Structures are given as C-alpha cells and as structure tokens.
Amino acid sequence: MNVLSPEARAGRFALPGAHFAVATCYLVAAAAGLVWIAPQLAAGDFASPRVAGVTHLFTLGWLTTTIFGALYQLMPNAMAAPIRWPRVGWASLAVFAPGVGAFALGVARGAAVAEYLGICLVALGVALTVGNVAATLPRARRRDEMWAGIAIAITYLSAALVLGALLFHNLRTGDLAAARVRVLATHLHVAIVGWVLVMIVGVSHRLLPMFLIARGADTRWTRRALASLAAGVPILGVGFLTHRAPVAWVGAAVLDLGIAFFLYQASCFVRARVRKRIDIGMRYAGVGVSFLALAAALGAIVLWRRPLSMRLATTYVLLGLLGGIVMFVIGLFYKIVPMLAWTARYGGQAKPNVPTIAEMFSERVARAQLVLMTGAILAIAGAILSGSSIGARIGAAAFLVGVLLFGSQILRVALGRPSRRHEPDELAAPRPGRSARAVVTRV
Ligand code: HEM
C-alpha cells in the first residue's frame, strides 16, 4: 500500500477541507441569523429582505459550499475523475466565500454596495465551480446515478442563479410586480429541489450503502427519483410562472413522487444493512428524510391554500430546508469530515494510541445536538403556525445551541482532539470480536 507523506495526505484533503470549514462558519452565522429573524418568521413574512438574507447564509453559505467541497472530494476518490482545474477550485472558493457574506448582509440590510459586490462574487464562484465540475464529469469512469445526479444538479444551480439574479434585480426595481411571488416560488424549488435535493439523491446512491454497510439492496429507485425530481421542478415552475394551477399540480405530484422514490430507496438501503446499529450520522439523515416527507405532504396543502397561507408557506420552506436538507447534510458531514480528518492525520492505518474515526468526535454531544435541533425545528414550525414570536425565538435559540455544539465537534475533529484516546496496550489487545482492522472500518 503506497503510504503518502503527511504533507501529501493533508494536501489531498485541503480543498474539500477548506470548503467544509467555510461552510461550518456560515452554518453558525445562519443559526444566529435565525434568532434575529424569528419574529418575521412567526408573522409568516417570508418575503422580508432580512429573511432572504439569512436564508442565503443557510442555502449558499452552508449547503452550496458543503456540496462544492464534497464534489472536490467525491469526484477524484469515488468517481476516479481527477478535478480538471484544482486551482480554479481554490479561486472559486476565494470569491464565493466572501461573496455569500456580502450578498446575504447586503440583501438583509438593503445595502446596495454589499448586495452588488456580493451577487457578482457569488455568480463568479458558481460559474467557476459549475465549469470545473462540468469539465471533470467526462473523466469519470462510470456514468451511474451519482454521475447523473451531479450533472442534473449543476444545471439547476445555474438556473437558480439566473432566477436569483432576476429576483435581485426586482428587489432594486420592483419590475416583477405581482409576478414576484411566483418567480420566488420557482426560484426556491429550482434551488432547493433541483440543485440540493437532486445532488443528495445522486450522491446518496453511493454513500448510503457505504455508510450503512448495506449489501444487495434493490437500487432501481434512485434513477426513478432523479427522473421524477428533474421533471417535476420545471413542470411546477411553468405552472407557477404561467399561473396555470393544473400544471402546477402535475408538477407538485411528480415532484412528490420523486421524493417518495428517494425515501423508498433509502429504506431499501437501511433494510439491507449488515450491521444492526445505526450510527449518529445516519440518524441525522433519518431525521432529515422524515422532515422531507412531512414537507412534501405540507407542500400539497400550501399549493391548495396558496394566497391565504403565508404562515403555512413559511412552515413548508422551514421544514423542507432546515428539517429535511440541513439535517440530512449534517448527517453526511458527521460521516465524511471525521473520516477525511482521520485519514489526513493518521494516514488510514490503525496504530497504537490512534483513535478510531468514530472517536474523533463525541457521540454523546452529537446525540444531544440531534434532540435539540429536531425539537427546535418542531418548535419553530409550531410557533410559525400559531403566530408566536416568542416561541419562534426560543426555538431558534435552541437551534443555535445545537449548531454551536456541532461547530465544537467539527473543531475538535479538525484539531485532532478525539473524544477518547487509546492506551497503548488497549489496541495491542483488540476488544473481544474486534481486530485492529475492524477499528479502521468502523466508520
Ligand atoms: C445562486 C445564487 C442565488 C441568488 C443570486 C439568489 C437570490 C435570491 C433573492 C434575490 C431572493 C429574494 C427574493 C425576494 O425576496 O423577492 C431569494 C430568495 C430565496 N432563495 Fe435564493 N438565490 C440564490 C441561490 C439560492 C440557493 C442555492 C437556494 C437554495 C438552495 C436559494 C433559496 C432561496 C429561498 C428559499 C428564497 C426565499 C427566501 C425568502 O423567504 O425570502 N437561493 N434568492
């Protein structure tokens, strides 16, 4: 086995690692912002600039930056496709990271300079990354579901950018007039479903069976999920933009079918798992898909009640985005980041006095965080539906505490401060039924 020098190992993970570090900082900023906008959420005022600003700390700062980092890790390692222009990866982060902050702050405060600077840097960062990923995809050995998911998702990110720029122009000019809410509804479905959820469905096809150690699962449902989601988004968008309710209903039905296919695929992997115990990372993913199912059901009610339901629409976006997507991505983060840090730090070999990957963070803290964040999301949703500003603020504060716990875990992993250190003789005498190699594979 060719053992890389510590420098070479660290170098291999530097680009994804830098993205994950920036993303974690934005998650903390977004959670703090959630406390700030809680009264607007409780009032169902999702179109307020403050809400839009904080939303993009979550969607661009945490989700999009994390996905960019994961692509720079997965494409060379899981798809054997070396990144076409690694330097462009650094350049896009160098413009995208500050751009998101400037854009979010500018929109929230109505500060023109920050807004314009922000959207230009964000657009440049997105264009560089989409170009780099698109140039790397042809190098992949296999054209499988993960490959298709990435190709579809980056196309939708480009569309989300165009719709976002249009909405941004409207914030300054009001040109969209009554069409604003319809363009906004299209933008958020193109972005959240077309970009983020399609990406999650694609990479989950490879990651979930690996993380769950699943064997022989029925894997036909991912491609059905991808096809339905990829078709449902534009149909729903056309229905919104042309004000044709029947078309919007067809789009919503196809989209919900796609979510149902993904949930079924995930359940196939869970049922085919070799090991009974489900670890903490996968528990977050489980909570994420449960909130996704809830949001999918609520979506139909929002479509039916449409103009009368600002609070219902706000709850729908909150459950889908924070509950479904953010929690699922935190779960993947708990799987990928400790493994990267462990491999970079310990070179993938079990040695005396080396913690296992699972011991790179505290499982107890991760469990407390899961309960806190799940409870917080339900509390905020309840506060929005009942119009309770204080309830929304308490829920948002609990969510922030959960995110700070998460931040402390990621810091612990990055600094190599495992939750427990092995005594030399402990590995020498592997625990009953566990060889040293078993330690390494217990991801
Ligand atoms: C790629 C660059 C993007 C730009 C330039 C952009 C721009 C905007 C603007 C200007 C608004 C406010 C519209 C208004 O209040 O009228 C908005 C709203 C929104 N965007 Fe984006 N966006 C982008 C990416 C994304 C992504 C990637 C996501 C999700 C993954 C997203 C999710 C949302 C959501 C949920 C809202 C509604 C927030 C609210 O309630 O005000 N956006 N976007």
Side-chain angles (χ1 to χ4, degrees), residues 244-280:
R244 288 199 173 82
V247 180
W249 275 107
V250 171
V254 176
L255 216 153
D256 276 0
L257 193 62
I259 293 175
F261 286 152
F262 172 52
L263 299 183
Y264 187 72
Q265 182 65 76
S267 73
C268 289
F269 289 137
V270 170
R271 284 199 306 274
R273 71 188 188 281
V274 172
R275 189 184 55 196
K276 195 114 198 60
R277 184 177 169 275
I278 294 189
D279 63 40
I280 193 66

Side-chain angles (χ1 to χ4, degrees), residues 169-170 173-178:
H169 172 72
N170 178 65
T173 62
D175 287 356
L176 287 176

